[in-house]
Amino acid sequence: MALLDIQNLTVEFSTGSGAFRAVDRVSLSVDKHEVLAIVGESGSGKSVAMLALMGLLPWTARITADRLEFDGKNLLTMGAAERRRIVGKDLAMIFQEPMSSLNPCFTVGYQITEALKTHMPMDKGQRRARAIELLEQVGIPGAESRLSAFPHQLSGGMNQRVMIAIAIACNPKLLIADEPTTALDVTIQAQILELLLKLQKDNGMALVLITHSMGVVAETAERVSVQYAGQKVEEQRVGPLFANPRHPYTAALLSALPERATAKRLPSIPGVVPGQFDRPTGCLFSPRCTFATDLCRTTPPPLKDGALCHYPLVNGVPQGHPGTEKAA
Amino acid sequence: MIKFFLKRLALTIPTFFALMFVTFMMIRLVPGDPIEVRRGERGISPERLAQLRHEMGLDQPVLKQFWDYVWGILHGDFGTSIISRSPVLHEFFTLFPATLELTLCAMLLATLVGVPAGVFAAVRRGKFYDQALMGAALTGYSMPIFWWGLILILVMSNTLHLTPVSGRVDLIKYYYQPVTGFALIDSLLSGQKGAFGDALRHLILPTIVLGTVPLAVIARMTRSSMLEVLEEDYVRTARAKGLANWRVIGVHALRNALIPVITSIGLQVGTLLAGAVLTETIFSWPGVGKWLIESISRRDYPALQGGIMLISAAVILVNLLVDLTYGLINPRIRHGH
């Protein structure tokens, strides 16, 4: 049985001008000890889906799903107090901005031991020892003296390490990392990713890595879910995905990688992710897709060969595509 | 920390000097001087007037008078009240505890009620509780103090007989020597049965009246500060740890939200110390505010100048304390110096 099982998760925000659907019938599952990457542009609903799982969305969000289960427990019917016993213990999350994700008024030590105090039957001395152990585990030198440091006294990379230490404090079964390296220097990015993978192996936890970088995906993930405008458009194991992307969007993302560029100019995907008011009626990607036909523009695509597309690609060739109707 | 403190203290010297100058000049711009005010209807001979003015040094050039005054203050001499003939310093410190006691009680009420009210309003943003509370705060803020005081006296004292009308203690029933000048402490020290309760009852209405405006300000301030902080990433982190709701709000959010609130509390204490005038007048509270008002109408130059200087000193001291509290609450400021 999967550790995390999400079926048709939909998240809508009620705004002054009607409901905005940030996550649209997304299904995901994560097995124990597995690394899943969720890839997509900004605004594709990657973070919102995971925040919904954690119960961290504001009250304006309306969450519906056919199934939302973690470790065999139904998160949909669970009360707030019961969910708090899971969140932060078995299900942990780290965020994009390490500098603002730690409370500036409390020491690093306080913020780590607080998580332990909430979930673990430990006394003060044990908590302190565990906090030092955790800081060492995430690679912070001089762990013991860092306990009394405040977040503003540490660098962004160090703060992210502290965030990771807090997240893994209670040995979670699943760690969700929401763009953990986006705000960091390139050299530090690699270190943090390495650290996350090492912890994932050592602690035997599952890892969901939210990212918009295909480079990160290639280095880390076992399985990849590609999201676009709140929908999951494709899911594959990482090898096949890079070798043979099914969805035109995935293919476009991959060809935008500098390593794969063949032309002198780096290819890019024209346009932006549709927002609340310019949502297409058919396939959401159709306005930006080079293969889009009238069918794509009018009818929502079916799930074909693991991709949400009328003409899924095989080795770059759209299957069943009429050809003549191809857009300029 | 000590260096920070001394630096702030040094910065207050020019403030004092400017304040001294402005007060000194302003009161002399008001028509009439102490002699004229006391001359009475029948009048006195011009010779006698000139003689009295000479005795007080009022015939000297204004800048010379100012210099003499500054020189006196630098030697710790605040002069003698023209009306009561007792030293200004002594008079001030006899009256100041009454004002301080009232101010502290009002601030205590405002903070203890205002902060939790603001927090609740922020948490229930847009709901009935929030709107009712903020409506009440606006009403409180715009309430004329004298009217509010009179209404309270009418209802609480006259109709319901719950509280005394005025004064600090019932002088017919209880009498004790002032030791600290604080009615609550002195009545306890006197050991007379019921004296403390009586002093407390006398404090209730003035405290409510004086505390209403700061209560409204603090509640609104706490609410807006809290709303801002609740959107912060670290609040989300706290929730992601699975902490109880009260811990997320009362510890992680509130601690950060309090930083601007403390500034406003400090500023309010200053306003109250100097501005308890109306409340003290309504409740015949023998404090500094009432004394200053009387000093103005009698053109009691030394009392007024000295009183304002000393009140300012108290306000500046409070602001200094606020700055120090910052450091305690916000580590970023502590390490910045």
Side-chain angles (χ1 to χ4, degrees):
Chain A
M1 190 189 66
L3 179 66
L4 176 68
D5 190 359
I6 300 176
Q7 288 295 325
N8 288 327
L9 172 70
T10 297
V11 181
E12 281 176 327
F13 289 96
S14 54
T15 65
S17 48
F20 171 61
R21 187 171 276 204
V23 178
D24 191 2
R25 287 162 293 158
V26 166
S27 300
L28 274 180
S29 76
V30 184
D31 288 326
K32 282 174 186 149
H33 321 304
E34 193 189 19
V35 182
L36 171 78
I38 305 178
V39 195
E41 279 170 271
S42 304
S44 58
K46 315 177 295 277
S47 306
V48 175
M50 290 303 116
L51 288 172
L53 179 68
M54 296 283 290
L56 293 178
L57 288 176
W59 59 273
T60 47
R62 207 167 63 89
I63 301 164
T64 51
D66 293 343
R67 188 154 64 233
L68 192 61
E69 274 180 16
F70 173 75
D71 203 15
K73 297 180 191 95
N74 187 352
L75 294 177
L76 282 173
T77 52
M78 187 176 275
E82 205 180 336
R83 187 191 282 247
R84 278 201 294 270
R85 278 199 287 277
I86 297 173
V87 167
K89 184 171 186 293
D90 295 332
L91 181 58
M93 187 162 178
I94 60 172
F95 305 98
Q96 190 172 348
E97 294 284 344
M99 296 305 277
S100 60
S101 291
L102 288 167
N103 194 322
C105 284
F106 296 96
T107 62
V108 162
Y110 180 89
Q111 299 190 51
I112 298 175
T113 47
E114 190 184 30
L116 295 168
K117 198 175 170 183
T118 314
H119 298 291
M120 308 294 252
M122 287 178 167
D123 65 30
K124 211 177 164 195
Q126 286 172 318
R127 286 200 293 268
R128 193 185 144 81
R130 172 75 176 142
I132 295 171
E133 185 194 355
L134 283 164
L135 286 182
E136 280 165 356
Q137 223 178 337
V138 297
I140 292 185
E144 189 158 5
S145 63
R146 296 289 186 189
L147 284 182
S148 54
F150 286 94
H152 69 273
Q153 296 170 313
L154 302 177
S155 68
M158 283 294 168
N159 274 326
Q160 194 60 296
R161 285 172 195 270
V162 172
M163 279 298 293
I164 295 172
I166 293 172
I168 63 166
C170 307
N171 287 319
K173 291 174 180 155
L174 174 64
L175 174 65
I176 301 166
D178 185 359
E179 307 208 17
T181 58
T182 308
L184 302 175
D185 281 346
V186 181
T187 47
I188 309 293
Q189 287 185 2
Q191 290 178 18
I192 295 288
L193 282 178
E194 228 166 83
L195 172 68
L196 282 172
L197 289 176
K198 182 177 175 297
L199 290 169
Q200 181 263 332
K201 278 196 192 70
D202 293 353
N203 297 3
M205 64 184 179
L207 180 65
V208 171
L209 193 65
I210 301 172
T211 178
H212 55 234
S213 157
M214 276 294 183
V216 169
V217 173
E219 282 170 43
T220 53
E222 295 165 11
R223 208 151 46 86
V224 188
S225 162
V226 183
Q227 281 198 21
Y228 183 80
Q231 292 178 337
K232 184 171 88 172
V233 293
E234 177 169 4
E235 186 183 313
Q236 282 205 69
R237 298 200 64 78
V238 68
L241 183 98
F242 274 78
N244 190 4
R246 289 308 177 91
H247 197 281
Y249 177 61
T250 318
L253 276 183
L254 287 174
S255 63
L257 281 175
E259 296 88 336
R260 295 191 158 213
T262 46
K264 205 170 174 191
R265 246 181 110 81
L266 193 62
S268 61
I269 311 174
V272 289
V273 181
Q276 186 182 354
F277 303 110
D278 55 355
R279 233 173 146 77
T281 41
C283 169
L284 295 181
F285 187 59
S286 61
R288 305 173 71 186
C289 184
T290 45
F291 302 112
T293 63
D294 283 340
L295 177 69
C296 298
R297 282 184 276 269
T298 50
T299 318
L303 192 64
K304 241 192 239 176
D305 299 338
L308 200 64
C309 185
H310 289 289
Y311 314 111
L313 305 175
V314 173
N315 296 319
V317 181
Q319 298 299 295
H321 195 273
T324 48
E325 269 188 78
K326 188 172 165 180
Chain B
M1 201 69 194
I2 290 170
K3 209 174 138 203
F4 170 62
F5 186 80
L6 290 177
K7 213 165 117 191
R8 289 306 310 260
L9 211 59
L11 280 175
T12 60
I13 293 173
T15 316
F16 266 118
F17 197 79
L19 199 77
M20 217 181 317
F21 186 77
V22 170
T23 325
F24 195 90
M25 293 306 163
M26 290 276 269
I27 185 68
R28 275 163 181 74
L29 284 178
V30 180
D33 64 17
I35 314 297
E36 274 180 50
V37 168
R38 290 201 298 164
R39 175 171 65 179
E41 299 258 314
R42 281 182 296 151
I44 48 174
S45 69
E47 294 80 39
R48 178 80 182 120
L49 200 66
Q51 192 200 343
L52 282 171
R53 283 204 172 124
H54 179 72
E55 275 173 21
M56 284 188 200
L58 294 173
D59 55 345
Q60 305 268 349
V62 177
L63 281 177
K64 169 82 169 64
Q65 290 182 40
F66 181 62
W67 175 246
D68 288 342
Y69 182 67
V70 173
W71 189 251
I73 286 197
L74 287 177
H75 289 80
D77 178 15
F78 279 76
T80 309
S81 162
I82 296 173
I83 309 299
S84 68
R85 303 263 170 219
S86 64
V88 170
L89 214 53
H90 173 79
E91 201 149 280
F92 180 83
F93 281 109
T94 317
L95 299 170
F96 188 60
T99 299
L100 191 61
E101 184 174 41
L102 182 55
T103 302
L104 288 181
C105 285
M107 276 325 287
L108 208 65
L109 173 82
T111 309
L112 290 185
V113 179
V115 170
V119 170
F120 277 119
V123 173
R124 301 250 186 286
R125 176 186 199 172
K127 305 265 172 65
F128 171 76
Y129 184 88
D130 178 26
Q131 283 170 357
L133 205 91
M134 286 306 113
L138 192 64
T139 315
Y141 186 69
S142 24
M143 189 103 70
I145 290 285
F146 57 90
W147 179 82
W148 178 222
L150 292 178
I151 290 292
L152 276 180
I153 291 177
L154 270 176
V155 175
M156 301 286 281
S157 310
N158 266 27
T159 314
L160 299 172
H161 302 289
L162 289 173
T163 51
V165 175
S166 67
R168 296 181 80 190
V169 78
D170 194 335
L171 290 172
I172 297 167
K173 283 193 201 149
Y174 310 103
Y175 180 75
Y176 45 81
Q177 280 296 321
V179 184
T180 58
F182 293 95
L184 290 180
I185 299 176
D186 287 346
S187 61
L188 263 186
L189 290 177
S190 74
Q192 294 177 67
K193 222 173 156 216
F196 178 74
D198 189 62
L200 199 62
R201 267 196 302 283
H202 276 84
L203 253 172
I204 293 174
L205 286 193
T207 299
I208 293 176
V209 169
L210 191 60
T212 300
V213 171
L215 171 65
V217 172
I218 289 173
R220 290 184 72 90
M221 191 86 186
T222 308
R223 176 183 178 269
S224 67
S225 176
M226 205 59 191
L227 282 179
E228 206 171 292
V229 168
L230 284 174
E231 299 283 309
E232 293 283 347
D233 285 349
Y234 52 76
V235 172
R236 186 179 59 188
T237 306
R239 289 194 196 284
K241 283 191 204 172
L243 302 181
N245 211 21
W246 69 265
R247 227 187 132 76
V248 173
I249 290 162
V251 178
H252 282 266
L254 185 60
R255 177 102 176 237
N256 286 281
L258 276 184
I259 295 167
V261 175
I262 284 181
T263 321
S264 101
I265 292 179
L267 291 174
Q268 294 292 325
V269 172
T271 318
L272 290 196
L273 276 178
V277 181
L278 279 174
T279 313
E280 287 183 4
T281 311
I282 296 168
F283 293 98
S284 309
W285 195 265
V288 175
K290 204 159 153 264
W291 174 63
L292 280 180
I293 286 286
E294 282 160 13
S295 302
I296 294 176
S297 56
R298 291 169 182 166
R299 305 290 187 280
D300 191 343
Y301 292 172
L304 185 72
Q305 287 159 190
I308 287 180
M309 288 300 293
L310 290 163
I311 280 281
S312 315
V315 171
I316 287 172
L317 194 72
V318 168
N319 282 331
L320 204 61
L321 284 177
V322 168
D323 282 345
L324 294 181
T325 332
Y326 268 166
L328 288 182
I329 286 209
N330 187 350
R332 279 169 299 186
I333 290 177
R334 198 185 318 152
H335 295 115
H337 294 274

